[in-house]
Amino acid sequence: MTGVDHAPSWQLERREAEKLIGCASVDPFALLGPHETEDGYVIRAILPGAKAVDVVAQADGRLLASMARGAVDGLFEAHIKKRTAYKLRISRPDAEQETEDPYAFGPLLGEIDIYLFNEGRHFALADVFGAQFMVVDGVPGVRFAVWAPNARRVAVVGDFNTWDPQRHPMRARYPSGIWELFIPRAPVGTRYKFDIVGPGGERFQKADPVARRAELPPATASVVAEPEMHAFKDADWMSARAACQAVDAPLSIYEVHLGSWLKSDAGAFANWDSAISHLIPYVSEMGFTHIELLPIAEHPFGGSWGYQTLGLFAPTSRYGTPQDFARFIDAAHNAGLGVILDWVPAHFPTDPHGLARFDGTALYEHLDPREGFHRDWNTFIYNFGRREVQGFLIASALFWLEKFHVDGLRVDAVASILYRDYSREAGEWVPNVYGGRENIEAIDFLRHLNSVVTERCPGAMMIAEESTAWPGVTKPVEKGGLGFAYKWNMGWMHDTLRYMARDPIHRSYHHDDITFGLLYAFSENFILPLSHDEVVHGKRSLIAKMPGDAWQRFANLRVYLSFMWAHPGKKLLFMGGELAQEHEWSHDGEVEWFRLNDQPNAGIQRLVRDLNRLYKAEDALHRRDCEPEGFRWIIGDDRGNSVFAFLRLGRPGSAPILVVCNMSPVPRPNYRIGVPVGGIWREIFNSDAEIYGGSNVGNAGEVRAIPQPLHGEAQTLNIILPPLAAVMFKSAS
């Protein structure tokens, strides 16, 4: 059979056979599988290591033909008289296998799917690309599909073929750049990668960009995911979510790095089961409305905290399976908590198994490092001007929102997306077509993203971490904005933390650090963030930033948190801040829960819990968080005493709340403040209360206004201001 002079006409010539075995054939389906001849059909298969191969009838297992060895080792060929559904019975030195021939199946990826992908409008990629378990003509298996338009050849390798790149070269769907192959009997849970020959002949293996599961790092293979998602039981939450997350609703976020929130007794990372048992009840008891998770999409390096993601469709295997994560979301919703994920479209790491130079070319990124490389993070930048890349990213966002019922995405590093010269000197960046610094393609991407999310995911929040004064971040797209629901108020955070770090004796000279934020507080829908970024890399923990002796440090933190919860804007606090963790956060450690054995720390925790409950209960403290009508200065210029007083106002007819903050360690009796209405003003909160660790200086529960105009108001309160404390009064009239 192998002699060239006497070979049957249907036998593959050595040159073509060597291309197949050498992974150089551009069209394996033209040679492998069944092909019609003048007197029947020839069947070819690449099965390196096989001792013998038979072709048997699929229906009854009868022998149709024994395959002969072809022109090169590993190639088997047989001729049958008529086309019949068949299987291959493969005898190996240590086992025998019977399976359908992958090359007997036609194309499975629909033309509409290919068209929508190439147009950047296929928003259900996770249901189509990657590894899809399915049944084809009664045969279970996995269809693999990947975009690699500049590759010479792509094969799928994995546990099902001993990671042999000769065995399963894929079908190219020209001119789309998509490759696909159905592998019968490949099981759920099997590991796989794509073996790619680039345009220059270079060869490498890549994880699946659309994989829905991945190996536990540092292993890097993708994993065939279970086809069925968790059956959610959160219909009531989902139907009411839009109202719960509107700008007039209370929004108080507990930011969490799950792996370092709580360790097991053995010191291992938390998982989704332990988060259901411990994190959800804790956050609920603390009165927060939402949990925000640092990125949980698969990432190769744990020290990046998840911000160097490679698996934009795969919950990290560090904490469990995708089904486990879905159960966590469901449990949070049924406990009345929303879940926000950090999502990272700003950059991706250069790991060789990832998106970098995916098909041997700059496919997902820009080739020019002035556009395509972040020197700050040593990562690549997505090419937002490429339709397929935009569609890939938008499909990822929708995957978390739609498949997992996530309630919002906090989009990381938006400023680095918006500006072409971000963190670059002159000459180190490429201007846009108009010669400007704005990244026009990225702006289009963000607007497109937010428009699609608004249309498809009612009530879901898109939140921008944007650190510049870019106008209209939270303005609707149709009105010229970027279309986000909220923006992190980085300026407020930097100014106020700088103020609080000063010795109180110097604060009178920096009064504007507190008041300045109110000049722009309503220019966007803001979230006030005390995030993970403020308690790492030498910035110290919140309590460690505070000046003075031990008592003053805790009093400073109490008044600062109270000021934050009373200030216009939604709230965000990183884990550990609620109990005055002393040391900086470390992703290798856990929250310093032992601190709760000390009364001052337990007092801070109690204060945050009570602030959350007050914030949710009092209409004036949240209803008009994003409206200038919800705030009015009473005293904003008392530099000498470092005192600030303002009103928070809710819906017409609701009682106003007076907030007074004394940022000095001096108690101030007989402090006079103008208020708009007379009668009794009840003291509803005092950060100096003994239960919080304070000195218990206060106003005995209430103060009666006297009819004397002051500060432009008709009435006056004469109050006692505790040292380094915030007090809140509510009109009882």
Side-chain angles (χ1 to χ4, degrees):
M1 291 292 294
T2 58
V4 174
D5 294 338
H6 306 289
S9 60
W10 45 263
Q11 186 177 23
L12 198 63
E13 294 182 0
R14 175 174 290 275
R15 184 177 62 179
E16 290 298 320
E18 288 176 343
K19 285 183 179 181
L20 268 177
I21 296 295
C23 304
S25 176
V26 296
D27 187 8
F29 273 84
L31 303 173
L32 297 175
H35 295 275
E36 190 171 8
T37 65
E38 292 180 356
D39 56 348
Y41 286 85
V42 61
I43 298 172
R44 298 190 188 96
I46 298 177
L47 296 165
K51 292 194 305 180
V53 183
D54 292 332
V55 181
V56 300
Q58 186 179 55
D60 54 15
R62 60 189 169 84
L63 180 67
L64 299 177
S66 292
M67 301 189 81
R69 295 184 180 272
V72 295
D73 286 344
L75 177 65
F76 289 81
E77 300 172 296
H79 188 269
I80 59 177
K81 290 299 183 182
K82 64 178 182 177
R83 179 74 178 263
T84 305
Y86 66 92
K87 292 182 180 181
L88 301 177
R89 183 180 294 151
I90 307 162
S91 297
R92 300 188 182 277
D94 56 351
E96 185 173 284
Q97 176 191 13
E98 191 171 291
T99 184
E100 291 76 12
D101 183 357
Y103 299 92
F105 293 85
L108 298 178
L109 200 60
E111 292 295 333
I112 187 63
D113 289 316
I114 293 173
Y115 171 78
L116 288 173
F117 173 78
N118 288 140
E119 288 294 308
R121 294 189 292 113
H122 201 313
F123 300 139
L125 290 186
D127 293 332
V128 176
F129 281 66
Q132 302 294 326
F133 183 84
M134 58 180 59
V135 177
V136 179
D137 297 333
V139 179
V142 178
R143 184 193 66 202
F144 296 91
V146 66
W147 180 52
N150 301 301
R152 288 187 181 180
R153 173 190 180 275
V154 180
V156 60
V157 295
D159 294 332
F160 46 82
N161 62 12
T162 67
W163 298 85
D164 185 348
Q166 296 178 337
R167 295 268 301 275
H168 290 119
M170 302 176 77
R171 169 188 278 117
R173 301 293 299 273
Y174 291 116
S176 68
I178 295 168
W179 302 73
E180 71 159 315
L181 184 67
F182 177 72
I183 299 185
R185 311 293 171 176
V188 167
T190 193
R191 301 174 302 155
Y192 69 97
K193 283 186 178 181
F194 295 112
D195 187 272
I196 299 174
V197 177
E202 65 279 21
R203 188 167 153 193
F204 42 86
Q205 290 188 354
K206 294 285 189 177
D208 182 359
V210 192
R212 289 178 288 128
R213 282 189 65 183
E215 274 191 292
L216 182 67
T220 58
S222 302
V223 177
V224 177
E226 294 81 354
E228 298 299 325
M229 185 56 74
H230 167 78
F232 282 90
K233 302 177 180 65
D234 61 351
D236 290 345
W237 169 271
M238 295 298 287
S239 63
R241 183 176 69 177
C244 295
Q245 301 189 159
V247 293
D248 62 352
L251 181 63
S252 180
I253 303 165
Y254 187 62
E255 189 189 31
V256 174
H257 177 262
L258 186 63
S260 57
W261 184 75
L262 180 69
K263 297 290 184 68
S264 70
D265 292 338
F269 280 154
N271 56 37
W272 296 121
D273 284 335
S274 67
I276 291 171
S277 300
H278 300 291
L279 177 62
I280 289 174
Y282 177 78
V283 176
S284 180
E285 167 62 20
M286 286 297 295
F288 290 95
T289 64
H290 287 69
I291 301 169
E292 180 173 327
L293 297 168
L294 270 61
I296 57 99
E298 194 58 82
H299 49 282
F301 176 47
S304 78
W305 315 331
Y307 287 98
Q308 294 195 5
T309 53
L310 278 180
L312 287 184
F313 295 81
T316 178
S317 54
R318 291 168 175 85
Y319 308 136
T321 68
Q323 282 71 18
D324 294 335
F325 174 59
R327 286 192 297 104
F328 168 80
I329 299 291
D330 208 10
H333 288 172
N334 282 284
L337 294 172
V339 179
I340 301 165
L341 299 185
D342 270 17
W343 181 68
V344 189
H347 60 115
F348 62 90
T350 60
D351 296 64
H353 70 281
L355 299 179
R357 305 297 191 263
F358 186 78
D359 63 357
T361 69
L363 188 62
Y364 288 87
E365 70 273 31
H366 292 275
L367 179 62
D368 189 334
R370 295 175 299 167
E371 295 183 280
F373 189 74
H374 263 310
R375 292 176 302 176
D376 290 358
W377 304 311
N378 291 321
T379 53
F380 285 128
I381 301 169
Y382 288 103
N383 183 350
F384 298 110
R386 189 158 196 167
R387 291 193 304 268
E388 295 94 338
V389 174
Q390 276 207 23
F392 170 78
L393 292 170
I394 293 172
S396 167
L398 291 172
F399 174 72
W400 302 103
L401 295 169
E402 294 181 336
K403 294 294 186 183
F404 289 104
H405 293 197
V406 166
D407 302 292
L409 300 177
R410 177 266 199 183
V411 182
D412 181 63
V414 170
S416 76
I417 297 174
L418 291 172
Y419 297 98
R420 286 177 164 268
D421 63 345
Y422 180 85
S423 196
R424 297 179 189 274
E425 302 296 330
E428 297 176 344
W429 56 282
V430 179
N432 63 34
V433 293
Y434 304 108
R437 60 197 287 254
E438 300 82 6
N439 191 329
I440 295 170
E441 296 83 5
I443 296 166
D444 175 68
F445 158 69
L446 291 172
R447 288 173 170 164
H448 190 195
L449 165 70
N450 288 327
S451 295
V452 171
V453 169
T454 298
E455 178 182 348
R456 293 178 56 132
C457 307
M461 298 181 294
M462 297 298 287
I463 301 167
E465 186 217 7
E466 203 285 308
S467 56
T468 74
W470 186 280
V473 172
T474 59
K475 184 184 291 186
V477 171
E478 60 270 21
K479 294 184 179 180
L482 295 182
F484 286 94
Y486 293 101
K487 170 182 171 174
W488 275 20
N489 194 335
M490 310 293 282
W492 175 91
M493 177 269 297
H494 287 301
D495 290 348
T496 58
L497 282 177
R498 182 173 62 238
Y499 177 90
M500 294 304 301
R502 300 185 189 279
D503 189 298
I505 198 171
H506 301 302
R507 286 176 179 169
S508 63
Y509 302 103
H510 303 278
H511 206 71
D512 294 346
D513 280 346
I514 294 293
T515 60
F516 180 70
L518 272 304
L519 295 179
Y520 61 86
F522 308 105
S523 61
E524 303 278 4
N525 298 335
F526 280 122
I527 291 173
L528 310 181
L530 294 180
S531 75
H532 65 281
D533 275 330
E534 309 318 312
V535 292
V536 289
H537 300 323
K539 296 179 184 177
R540 299 176 294 167
S541 67
L542 289 182
I543 189 66
K545 297 176 193 288
M546 302 298 148
D549 59 24
W551 189 92
Q552 288 189 359
R553 291 169 66 224
F554 279 91
N556 271 306
L557 183 55
R558 290 194 299 268
V559 69
Y560 181 53
L561 292 172
S562 303
F563 168 71
M564 172 182 172
W565 255 257
H567 192 285
K570 309 308 180 183
K571 326 301 175 188
L572 180 142
L573 183 65
F574 184 59
M575 64 184 200
E578 81 280 10
L579 49 85
Q581 177 165 312
E582 191 69 37
H583 295 98
E584 284 190 343
W585 167 58
S586 168
H587 66 275
D588 289 325
E590 70 172 350
V591 171
E592 295 177 350
W593 299 108
F594 66 89
R595 299 281 178 189
L596 293 176
N597 295 324
D598 298 327
Q599 178 56 34
N601 299 82
I604 295 290
Q605 186 191 50
R606 188 177 294 112
L607 175 121
V608 171
R609 181 195 63 201
D610 288 352
L611 283 171
N612 273 328
R613 292 175 178 176
L614 189 66
Y615 172 64
K616 290 191 290 187
E618 294 296 340
D619 187 87
L621 290 178
H622 67 258
R623 181 69 60 179
R624 305 177 93 171
D625 260 336
C626 303
E627 301 175 28
E629 295 80 7
F631 175 89
R632 186 159 83 234
W633 276 117
I634 300 297
I635 301 173
D637 57 357
D638 190 357
R639 293 175 176 269
N641 292 315
S642 295
V643 171
F644 305 86
F646 52 86
L647 286 176
R648 292 301 311 275
L649 305 162
R651 291 170 292 189
S654 63
I657 290 179
L658 172 69
V659 182
V660 191
C661 299
N662 178 11
M663 299 298 192
S664 76
V666 180
R668 305 196 183 280
N670 302 313
Y671 194 89
R672 293 163 57 82
I673 301 176
V675 290
V677 296
I680 298 295
W681 285 71
R682 292 187 295 107
E683 187 180 78
I684 59 173
F685 176 82
N686 184 337
S687 70
D688 192 50
E690 185 177 7
I691 59 170
Y692 306 137
S695 57
N696 223 27
V697 173
N699 295 272
E702 63 182 42
V703 180
R704 180 176 292 276
I706 57 176
Q708 292 180 0
L710 185 65
H711 301 131
E713 305 292 347
Q715 304 282 325
T716 298
L717 292 183
N718 192 337
I719 67 172
I720 299 171
L721 268 183
L724 291 173
V727 288
M728 300 185 204
F729 299 89
K730 179 179 179 180
S731 170
S733 301

